[in-house]
Amino acid sequence: MQTSHLSAQRRQPVNLLYKLRNRETTTPPAAAQVHQTRSLYACLPPTSLVCKVDPPDTHLCRFTPSGEYLVAFGPVARELVLYRHRAPECSFHGELPADWTPPNAASFRSHFQQVFRVTLAHGTEVLAKDFVLTLHDERFLLVVKTTPPQHGETATSGVAAVPVIPEITLMLVNIRDGSVADVYLLEDEFVHTSHNFGIHLWDNLLLVVGVRQQILYVLQVLPSGRFVKVQALGPHCNDDDQLFLDMFEEKERQWQLQQSQAQIERQASQYAAGPGPSSSSASSLSVPRVPTSSSQAANPLQRAALSQPHGPVAQRGRLGQPPFAAPPLALHSIPSQALPSGPAAPGAGALIQGLKHKLLVYLLKKKQQEVSQGNREALKQFHYVFENYVNLLIWKAQFLDRHHLLIALRTQDPDMARNMDVTPHPVFYVVYDTASSTIRKVTDKNDAGMVQAYLRHAPMFHAADVTSQWVRCVTPAVVGLHPPEEQMGLASRQWNGVLPAVRRTLANVPVNAQTLCASPYLDGNLFHFDEKHISAFVRPRMFSDNVLRFVSKQHPDRVKFKIAGDQFAIPPPHRQGIKQIINYHFHPTLPFVMSYLQTFVAGPQICIHTRL
């Protein structure tokens, strides 16, 4: 039955009038209306090619999700440039020739009109040329400017293996005139801005991943164009965490003071009862030093006392007394490089708190459940890899909804300071509930259940603008029309095994916000194309001479359109000897494709595929 249905679909004529008539005379389900509209693009492929378009003196970044604007940056990454997309203006008398193009089609200004060009970075500041987000129905643009990163011992806190950027400024720019509505400053931090990696968007909420300080900054953008700090998850997960720590730190200080006073009284009573010592020996009575804070205590167990349950703290997820013998002291004094808590005594460890503490509590409870089920080696395994758990780093995160975060953790690398690449795969995935400040689930990178959830709900992972039905149809190439079980079977055969398929599928999870193009031509449910050379992800690729063919899935025997690799004028001696980067900018709603080639010999070149 399913095969005959697909055959009937493929036998439908490739006729725009036929599809429009079906759209007007039939009533599809509410969830299928957008898909029916997108299927019309199988009859509207780009038919005209315009080569040797004069390139502008800017770096073209990407289209906005609606396709109305094209965002670009200045050549020295200090200027923000915004173009409005428009079609070439022309007229023709009579019947159009087959290969006719407007006379002004080779001009960039005939396709795009500059809206504004403003300078946002000054001095040593530079704009992140691969980062831009749109908010509030494209009323605002979010861009980031940074100062040069510093390496070495320039910062006193944070992960030592991660470089530090003195100032990271988030700027909210009005899309109408380029004016800056508001800014938010992060100091002595490191945030991945390449291709929207370290900043995620969900509706009007921003999630900024600070890798250096291991803090997740949750911000809200108001419709008036203002930043509002909602929460900072890291060393503290609740607003009153610092208050609880200060209260018990004060109790610890008072207890230390009482102990020192009692010791002085005992020494004085022994002096009065015994033979009178000399004045020199009386003046040499040792008075113990009272630490002013728990982090200055020389005994690591005194600092660990802050994490014992006292009243409300036990209800907030603090690690209580374990039902087993305490491990050696060296286990408690492991230094936490991820979450520093101020100056500590030499040889003493820092207090483990916040997200890292909640993760350890969750893993410990899981091991205790395994012990109750008969696995007596579970606790030994936990203590054996305890140091690895402590040294995990928050690497990437995204919103699942307004109250749940998906956090990716990875291990530390000795070469991180020299190569802060975003490609290393995470080790653990953590689902965190911000409403209750609890960890809901922890999975590893080889969990097949995580892949099933991603394949079933891929549009929700990638849809930053949850109110747009058009954006909800955006799916990566790995997600198709088949059920998740069949998709995993196809991926396993493609990548030679289930485990490589799982890792390949989860390579982009957590996902980057607004990095998928909503063009129907890049929809894996509508068209076949070579995933090795092009996909819905907006990112630069290595240039090749291969021909990119787009074939409709309803009519696989017909090539709708193709993008040839020999359309650029590259000198033959330099074709294989220079680095060539190409960007494919697909318009989200129109049959318009712009190929932007960047070389160091011939300069940038632009070719446009459109429909006239």
Side-chain angles (χ1 to χ4, degrees), residues 84-373:
R84 178 180 282 108
H85 178 259
R86 64 178 185 179
E89 299 177 356
C90 61
S91 60
F92 189 85
H93 179 69
E95 186 177 355
L96 289 176
D99 298 333
W100 181 85
T101 56
N104 59 346
S107 174
F108 185 82
R109 295 182 179 180
S110 65
H111 299 274
F112 298 93
Q113 179 185 5
Q114 182 174 309
V115 179
F116 61 77
R117 187 177 188 135
V118 294
T119 302
L120 301 178
H122 305 276
T124 59
E125 299 174 335
V126 293
L127 294 171
K129 297 195 299 182
D130 295 327
F131 175 87
V132 64
L133 291 175
T134 60
L135 300 93
H136 289 294
D137 297 329
E138 298 190 4
R139 292 171 50 197
F140 301 101
L141 293 176
L142 179 66
V143 296
V144 176
K145 67 177 181 179
T146 61
T147 54
Q150 300 178 1
H151 301 267
E153 302 296 333
T154 56
T156 58
S157 62
V159 184
V162 178
V164 58
I165 300 178
E167 292 184 359
I168 302 175
T169 307
L170 279 66
M171 309 183 69
L172 206 60
V173 181
N174 195 319
I175 205 169
R176 295 181 179 273
D177 54 5
S179 60
V180 179
D182 198 6
V183 298
Y184 190 85
L185 179 64
L186 299 176
E187 296 182 344
D188 295 335
E189 189 58 276
F190 185 90
V191 177
H192 282 294
T193 57
S194 177
H195 309 297
N196 304 357
F197 185 88
I199 302 179
H200 193 264
L201 172 67
W202 176 273
D203 197 14
N204 61 347
L205 294 178
L206 284 175
L207 179 63
V208 184
V209 182
V211 182
R212 173 75 188 194
Q213 304 295 338
Q214 290 292 280
I215 297 177
L216 300 177
Y217 304 91
V218 182
L219 309 176
Q220 184 179 9
V221 181
L222 301 180
S224 59
R226 292 291 182 268
F227 287 111
V228 177
K229 182 179 178 180
V230 178
Q231 203 172 8
L233 304 174
H236 308 301
C237 297
N238 298 277
D239 296 336
D240 55 350
D241 277 357
Q242 187 62 45
L243 175 62
F244 274 84
L245 291 176
D246 292 342
M247 290 171 53
F248 287 96
E249 185 176 343
E250 178 64 22
K251 292 182 179 180
E252 177 75 13
R253 193 190 66 83
Q254 293 178 1
W255 182 83
Q256 293 282 353
L257 181 61
Q258 294 175 1
Q259 294 295 320
S260 63
Q261 291 177 352
Q263 183 177 356
I264 293 176
E265 292 176 359
R266 288 194 299 269
Q267 292 180 355
S269 61
Q270 292 176 2
Y271 171 75
S278 61
S279 59
S280 59
S281 61
S283 61
S284 63
L285 289 175
S286 61
V287 179
R289 176 177 174 269
V290 180
T292 59
S293 64
S294 61
S295 60
Q296 296 179 3
N299 187 0
L301 294 178
Q302 295 176 359
R303 289 189 305 279
L306 294 179
S307 62
Q308 301 298 329
H310 295 283
V313 181
Q315 304 175 1
R316 298 169 59 83
R318 299 293 192 263
L319 183 61
Q321 292 286 353
F324 48 86
L329 180 62
L331 189 61
H332 290 281
S333 61
I334 294 177
S336 175
Q337 299 179 1
L339 298 175
S341 60
L351 176 66
I352 302 175
Q353 54 185 337
L355 279 176
K356 188 63 64 65
H357 180 267
K358 291 181 180 295
L359 174 64
L360 295 176
V361 170
Y362 183 91
L363 296 176
L364 177 61
K365 290 182 178 179
K366 286 295 183 182
K367 295 301 180 181
Q368 291 176 353
Q369 292 179 1
E370 294 181 13
V371 171
S372 62
Q373 295 174 359

Side-chain angles (χ1 to χ4, degrees), residues 532-534 539-546 548 565 575-584 596-600:
K532 296 181 180 179
H533 298 94
I534 194 169
R539 60 180 179 86
R541 306 172 186 278
M542 296 299 299
F543 174 74
S544 64
D545 294 335
N546 298 329
L548 303 179
R575 278 188 173 269
Q576 303 296 333
I578 61 174
K579 186 177 181 180
Q580 305 165 16
I581 304 297
I582 189 168
N583 295 72
Y584 296 103
Y596 181 62
L597 179 67
Q598 303 178 63
T599 61
F600 296 99

Side-chain angles (χ1 to χ4, degrees), residues 305-431:
L306 294 179
S307 62
Q308 301 298 329
H310 295 283
V313 181
Q315 304 175 1
R316 298 169 59 83
R318 299 293 192 263
L319 183 61
Q321 292 286 353
F324 48 86
L329 180 62
L331 189 61
H332 290 281
S333 61
I334 294 177
S336 175
Q337 299 179 1
L339 298 175
S341 60
L351 176 66
I352 302 175
Q353 54 185 337
L355 279 176
K356 188 63 64 65
H357 180 267
K358 291 181 180 295
L359 174 64
L360 295 176
V361 170
Y362 183 91
L363 296 176
L364 177 61
K365 290 182 178 179
K366 286 295 183 182
K367 295 301 180 181
Q368 291 176 353
Q369 292 179 1
E370 294 181 13
V371 171
S372 62
Q373 295 174 359
N375 185 8
R376 299 183 178 181
E377 300 295 328
L379 285 178
K380 292 182 179 180
Q381 297 173 0
F382 175 79
H383 292 307
Y384 183 77
V385 296
F386 182 81
E387 184 176 358
N388 295 332
Y389 290 151
V390 171
N391 293 328
L392 288 175
L393 296 181
I394 299 176
W395 190 246
K396 194 178 181 182
Q398 76 163 98
F399 284 105
L400 295 178
D401 54 35
R402 298 189 70 89
H403 301 293
H404 292 85
L405 305 179
L406 179 62
I407 306 172
L409 305 176
R410 61 158 292 185
T411 57
Q412 295 191 29
D413 189 354
D415 297 332
M416 287 177 59
R418 293 190 297 269
N419 183 20
M420 287 298 295
D421 195 3
V422 298
T423 55
H425 297 290
V427 178
F428 289 102
Y429 296 98
V430 178
V431 179

